[in-house]
Amino acid sequence: MFDYKNLSAQDGEVMAEVKKEMERQSQEMELIASENYVSKAVLEAMATVLTNKYSEGTPGHRYYGGNQVIDEVETIAVERAKKLFGAEHVNVQPLSGSPANAAVYMAFIKPGDKVLGLRLDHGGHLSHGHPVNFSGMLYNFSQYEVDSETGKINMDKVRELALKEKPKMIVAGYSAYAREVEWQKFKDIADEVGAFTFADIAHTAGLIAAGEMANPVPLFDVVSTTTHKTLRGPRGAMIMCKEQFAKQVDRAVFPGMQGGPHDHITAAKAVAFGEALLPEFKDYAKQVILNAKTMAEEFMKLGFRIISNGTDNHLMVVDMTGKGLSGKEVEIILDKCGISVSRSTIPNDPNPPLNPSGVRFGTPAITTRGMKQEEIKKIVTWINAAIEQREEPEMLENIKKEVREMCLSFPIPSI
Ligand code: DSN
């Protein structure tokens, strides 16, 4: 792996910060559902001279010379992504999730058009129509919800809303929703009202690629995903669509939304897709889900309320109000123990997004380290003890030591 000798010699200030982050990542427990650890090969692909190149356009159709190698690299990434998801057309250039989603809207609909998306506080994403986001500002979103009893999406209600609103597009796929998505039902509803189907599988892409969750790619008109969550690649995104929409999607990415793609990241995407095509990635995805199910069960045994009472994927949202705490307070308590989590709204949250009632937990990163059910049980016990004994600094310090010990015996792949 890198020895960072040039960075150390030239810029000790930045190197010192990188070192601190390397230490933090190796010694602390990552339970943020959207984070993961890339392999050494993915990390090395990012640190290549491909970063020096400009390559607006698509393979074989570039606006700059000298793109023979970049064309090959991008084609490898595209072909592997097609194979992973059974996609007809893939654009691997989107820089991240929100720009990818912006390109999807630009490709299929016009500002002011009606769209359906899940409410942010019910598990949707900012770019699925929240008023503070470009999506909510430019397009006319109506938001569906999860059922307040079950915590799951009620497809009859989605249909009712779709029949009433007659949207041009329906968005499914979420950031904080623990259940399988009923892709076929979304497709049927969209067909009934003449809407495009758009799936944002940023969170579950790795689980879908591994065949552990249902795949919307063969059904939906267009699907976006980030590449750095369960898919375990570099930070970035891609868009998959039916061949008939290929040109409009490519044009929306460039020149519509972006300039030059980040070719070193494209190379790293290709490497990550290659890894995801291996049989061991299927084992990884299976274990991610098994770990999340175990975590949800352990939490429930200790009296925590999980939205939708369990999980089908890599994450869960836990309501902390029963423990007399907000999500932010729990986030701060767990930070003191070396455990990173992200606060989260719960459906119909009475509290504001900066200080919401829940915490979202996820298992992709700790599963990459090799942790299994036995470790998960210990982790939940520590979380519960930290919450119960939050006023005792010594207790929190002890948990931090145990967390550190466990983390050091499950090293992260790139350090
Ligand atoms: N920020 C990501 C997440 O944590 O889910 C979504 O973009």
Side-chain angles (χ1 to χ4, degrees):
M1 216 43 224
F2 310 116
D3 55 16
Y4 296 100
K5 68 174 189 290
N6 298 297
L7 181 56
S8 301
Q10 182 180 315
D11 197 328
E13 200 179 353
V14 170
M15 187 64 233
E17 297 304 326
V18 172
K19 257 197 191 138
K20 277 193 251 167
E21 180 59 11
M22 284 164 76
E23 272 168 28
R24 189 193 72 79
Q25 290 192 16
S26 34
Q27 297 176 11
E28 297 192 359
M29 187 78 68
E30 191 53 73
L31 296 180
I32 293 177
S34 48
E35 296 188 13
N36 211 332
Y37 305 112
V38 295
S39 69
K40 288 179 182 173
V42 168
L43 203 59
E44 283 180 5
M46 282 190 266
T48 56
V49 294
L50 275 66
T51 192
N52 297 335
K53 196 70 198 97
Y54 254 119
S55 54
E56 273 104 327
T58 49
H61 309 278
R62 304 286 186 185
Y63 288 79
Y64 290 78
N67 269 305
Q68 295 81 355
V69 173
I70 301 303
D71 279 359
E72 296 294 333
V73 169
E74 190 170 325
T75 303
I76 296 170
V78 166
E79 290 308 317
R80 289 182 184 173
K82 281 184 180 174
K83 202 164 163 195
L84 261 184
F85 292 93
E88 290 179 19
H89 177 78
V90 182
N91 186 307
V92 293
Q93 296 185 6
L95 302 178
S96 209
S98 287
N101 290 353
V104 168
Y105 297 132
M106 187 182 277
F108 284 84
I109 55 175
K110 294 201 164 33
D113 276 350
K114 181 72 81 155
V115 191
L116 296 194
L118 181 66
R119 272 171 62 162
L120 179 75
D121 62 337
H122 286 227
H125 188 252
L126 272 172
S127 64
H128 299 175
H130 195 278
V132 300
N133 183 261
F134 77 89
S135 54
M137 293 173 191
L138 290 180
Y139 304 100
N140 185 5
F141 268 85
S142 293
Q143 308 252 259
Y144 56 93
E145 303 182 344
V146 298
D147 187 273
S148 50
E149 291 285 301
T150 63
K152 296 180 187 174
I153 294 165
N154 178 332
M155 295 307 295
D156 292 334
K157 291 256 170 70
V158 174
R159 180 169 176 269
E160 252 171 53
L161 188 64
L163 290 172
K164 178 169 158 249
E165 300 290 348
K166 302 254 179 311
K168 285 264 169 62
M169 173 176 262
I170 300 181
V171 187
Y174 315 106
S175 293
Y177 185 67
R179 295 303 184 172
E180 270 283 9
V181 182
E182 296 187 84
W183 304 116
Q184 183 64 58
K185 287 196 180 159
F186 271 107
K187 168 81 176 133
D188 293 343
I189 293 167
D191 285 349
E192 199 176 346
V193 299
F196 290 116
T197 42
F198 168 26
D200 176 347
I201 58 167
H203 264 266
T204 50
L207 311 177
I208 291 169
E212 294 301 312
M213 294 195 80
N215 184 6
V217 174
L219 274 184
F220 272 43
D221 296 312
V222 61
V223 176
S224 73
T225 182
T226 49
T227 46
H228 50 270
K229 297 186 177 92
T230 50
L231 199 47
R232 217 164 54 177
R235 301 201 81 80
M238 66 177 166
I239 302 172
M240 298 171 267
C241 66
K242 300 280 175 226
E243 191 57 45
Q244 70 187 107
F245 304 120
K247 271 207 179 116
Q248 67 200 63
V249 164
D250 288 350
R251 277 201 205 112
V253 174
F254 169 81
M257 277 296 302
Q258 294 181 184
H262 294 180
D263 299 314
H264 57 310
I265 300 297
T266 302
K269 286 175 184 172
V271 175
F273 300 158
E275 291 173 356
L277 283 164
L278 298 174
E280 44 273 37
F281 192 78
K282 191 172 175 57
D283 299 336
Y284 164 69
K286 254 192 195 5
Q287 190 64 48
V288 166
I289 296 174
L290 202 54
N291 283 350
K293 283 184 186 294
T294 305
M295 186 177 274
E297 278 159 21
E298 294 300 307
F299 271 130
M300 288 190 290
K301 275 187 212 162
L302 291 167
F304 287 86
R305 184 175 89 90
I306 310 257
I307 307 306
S308 88
N309 292 316
T311 180
D312 297 328
N313 58 26
H314 62 299
L315 65 79
M316 68 216 68
V317 175
V318 183
D319 177 2
M320 292 296 171
T321 51
K323 301 282 168 186
L325 291 168
S326 71
K328 183 180 170 188
E329 285 166 327
V330 172
E331 188 185 297
I332 292 168
I333 293 164
L334 295 182
D335 240 349
K336 292 183 188 158
C337 304
I339 299 175
S340 298
V341 295
S342 50
R343 72 194 79 163
S344 172
T345 49
I346 58 170
N348 307 313
D349 204 325
N351 294 314
L354 262 177
N355 190 21
S357 304
V359 172
R360 189 185 62 171
F361 293 88
T363 54
I366 54 173
T367 308
T368 293
R369 293 183 97 130
M371 294 179 190
K372 296 205 166 87
Q373 294 93 311
E374 197 186 319
E375 286 75 35
I376 299 292
K377 287 179 186 169
K378 274 195 195 148
I379 293 166
V380 175
T381 310
W382 288 329
I383 291 171
N384 187 51
I387 289 173
E388 298 286 323
Q389 295 167 65
R390 55 190 176 274
E391 307 296 352
E392 296 171 38
E394 248 176 49
M395 179 68 186
L396 300 184
E397 199 46 50
N398 279 343
I399 295 174
K400 187 174 183 161
K401 277 191 198 128
E402 291 187 72
V403 165
R404 183 173 180 273
E405 214 170 284
M406 182 187 281
C407 286
L408 289 176
S409 51
F410 290 89
I412 69 174
S414 45
I415 296 183

